[in-house]
Amino acid sequence: MDCSLASVCGGCSLRHLNTEEYRQYKCALVQKALQSITRQNFNFSEPVFVPEGCRRRASFAFRRAKGGIVLGFNAHRSSEIVGLNACPQLTPGLNRGLVFFQSLLSELCRVPLTVKEGKKGKAKTVYIEKGDLWLTEADNGLDAVLEFDLPLNLELREIISERVGAVNDIVRVSHRLGVDRPAETILEKGKPYVKTGGVSIFIPAGTFLQPSKEGQAALTALVLKYLGDTSGKIADLFCGAGTFSYPLAERPGNKVVAVDSSKELLEGFKNSVNRQMIANIEIINRNLFKYPLEGAELANFAAAVFDPPRAGAKEQALRLAALPAGKRPQKLIAVSCNPETFARDAEILQQGGYRLQEVTLVDQFIYTSHCELAALFVDDAVI
């Protein structure tokens, strides 16, 4: 699908390439990043390319303008907002939500707000001038977070409740003062959820998810493929909302230990586990960058899955590599959104006695240079 904004938006910098050229380019990007790995005897398997129109979460910027607002993406390397009514990368549900929230935000930005400033608390009339909109398409509807640095008064709350209450495909709207501030639920018709491994995961406002259902399914299938018939105690490190924990726990004989630092994500994860009475998932809140599992904590794991942020899992990789033969997981399954940090961690693991056996590119960000992958490491001592 063509996009008239491609030249100014900057989000799809590779849209000018035809399908074959694009796929070759993405594979070459990953292979180049992996060249720093000393041992190159691994298999680069058939890549997975997620089609356009599957992106289920996105953030947009907005600013108040004459007659309404401008809502869209920031232009390439600029604070200028490229206004849009639809994006070919997004799901139909997200595009419908974009149109609705453009209208809603235009109305909200026309409401005068009274704030107090200074030591004497002098009243001042202001308007919402700018902010961000975060949309996620859950399986039961849209979850929206309105982000701007002014508190909601009664009139704003009433407008949101009335407008959102009249549409069927928005299940929750929240507000927060900044990206690092907690979100307050304004209207919740039901708890947004996504399904993985046949289980419904309740998600917090503004949560991280795999950007597409198709990409999540591809990565989950690869994790299970690489696990094979290995069973027993499985570590799911940087587990997030439990995307991989649930399908891992479905395998007979598995006990999953899921670890992450996000209290917010783990709260939704725990609620889902408790509601559905899943007995073989243990959830631990821990910062694996500062306090990685090590020594005896890693003993008796048959396999470990790790899906870190872009910074990678260097500290955890060092602890896994330091384990003596016979006391370390037989398999390590890595999911990475940054081939460069993956290559660094892979080198650490191979120097410690693991062998990188296979890498698979999973392209969820079509027409961008962003790459994801899944990989299998096996213990050299048991091959």
Side-chain angles (χ1 to χ4, degrees):
M1 176 179 177
D2 291 331
C3 178
S4 61
L5 299 174
S7 61
V8 292
C9 174
C12 300
S13 60
L14 303 176
R15 187 175 283 277
H16 61 284
L17 300 176
N18 65 40
T19 299
E20 186 61 28
E21 289 173 333
Y22 169 75
R23 293 185 173 186
Q24 289 178 357
Y25 180 82
K26 289 300 278 278
C27 290
L29 277 180
V30 175
Q31 290 168 332
K32 181 180 179 181
L34 302 185
Q35 286 178 358
S36 63
I37 300 174
T38 303
R39 296 163 62 185
Q40 290 285 312
N41 58 336
F42 57 86
N43 177 42
F44 189 76
S45 66
E46 187 69 23
V48 178
F49 292 96
V50 174
E52 193 168 38
C54 295
R55 185 75 182 266
R56 65 178 174 182
R57 61 176 176 85
S59 62
F60 310 90
F62 72 87
R63 62 175 173 80
R64 187 168 176 255
K66 186 176 181 180
I69 66 162
V70 178
L71 173 66
F73 296 127
N74 286 111
H76 183 55
R77 295 182 179 177
S78 170
S79 59
E80 180 184 351
I81 299 173
V82 178
L84 55 96
N85 294 316
C87 171
Q89 294 280 23
L90 307 180
T91 63
L94 242 60
N95 277 323
R96 289 193 298 271
L98 186 61
V99 173
F100 172 82
F101 280 100
Q102 179 151 14
S103 173
L104 175 62
L105 285 166
S106 291
E107 188 171 351
L108 297 180
C109 288
R110 290 195 294 267
V111 175
L113 302 174
T114 301
V115 297
K116 294 182 179 181
E117 60 178 15
K119 293 181 179 180
K120 295 183 179 181
K122 185 178 179 180
K124 179 182 179 182
T125 299
V126 298
Y127 294 86
I128 300 167
E129 296 290 343
K130 62 181 180 178
D132 294 287
L133 168 67
W134 302 74
L135 290 182
T136 299
E137 185 172 28
D139 287 355
N140 57 334
L142 291 183
D143 183 27
V145 178
L146 307 176
E147 183 182 309
F148 47 83
D149 61 358
L150 290 171
L152 298 179
N153 63 7
L154 180 59
E155 185 176 358
L156 291 179
R157 292 173 185 272
E158 288 177 342
I159 292 171
I160 293 170
S161 297
E162 181 179 347
R163 292 287 308 278
V164 174
V167 297
N168 295 323
D169 56 353
I170 301 174
V171 291
R172 183 173 64 194
V173 176
S174 307
H175 168 255
R176 65 187 178 196
L177 297 172
V179 69
D180 58 346
R181 302 291 293 276
E184 176 196 0
T185 299
I186 307 304
L187 178 67
E188 185 177 75
K189 303 174 186 176
K191 291 194 176 296
Y193 66 83
V194 295
K195 287 191 174 181
T196 182
V199 175
S200 297
I201 305 174
F202 300 106
I203 58 174
T207 191
F208 170 83
L209 292 174
Q210 290 295 337
S212 68
K213 293 175 69 173
E214 293 78 3
Q216 177 179 307
L219 290 169
T220 300
L222 285 165
V223 167
L224 296 179
K225 169 193 168 184
Y226 290 154
L227 184 67
D229 58 3
T230 301
S231 63
K233 194 176 177 183
I234 311 293
D236 184 7
L237 308 178
F238 308 94
C239 66
T243 299
F244 302 124
S245 292
Y246 291 107
L248 289 169
E250 282 190 323
R251 292 286 185 93
N254 281 353
K255 166 68 182 296
V256 178
V257 178
V259 187
D260 201 276
S261 62
S262 172
K263 292 182 180 179
E264 190 175 37
L265 281 175
L266 294 184
E267 183 178 352
F269 190 2
K270 288 177 181 177
N271 287 339
S272 298
V273 167
N274 292 337
R275 282 171 179 260
Q276 293 165 94
M277 296 182 289
I278 302 173
N280 61 332
I281 296 179
E282 177 186 356
I283 299 171
I284 298 173
N285 182 207
R286 183 159 168 174
N287 186 330
L288 292 172
F289 292 108
K290 293 182 177 180
Y291 310 106
L293 299 185
E294 57 186 323
E297 295 175 308
L298 289 169
N300 302 317
F301 280 108
V305 178
F306 57 100
D307 181 15
R310 291 187 60 78
K314 180 180 179 181
E315 295 304 318
Q316 189 60 73
L318 286 168
R319 292 346 185 252
L320 286 163
L323 292 171
K327 292 189 177 182
R328 58 191 179 200
Q330 296 177 17
K331 290 182 177 179
L332 302 178
I333 302 165
V335 177
S336 173
C337 59
N338 186 340
E340 285 78 17
T341 56
F342 167 80
R344 177 202 65 201
D345 297 343
E347 183 67 13
I348 291 170
L349 292 169
Q350 291 207 134
Q351 293 296 327
Y354 283 98
R355 178 171 64 83
L356 177 58
Q357 184 167 300
E358 184 168 297
V359 175
T360 304
L361 163 66
V362 178
D363 182 24
Q364 296 195 74
F365 296 91
I366 187 169
Y367 298 130
T368 77
S369 57
H370 187 84
C371 301
E372 292 187 272
L373 58 84
L376 171 63
F377 297 84
V378 293
D379 184 355
D380 259 343
V382 296
I383 295 176

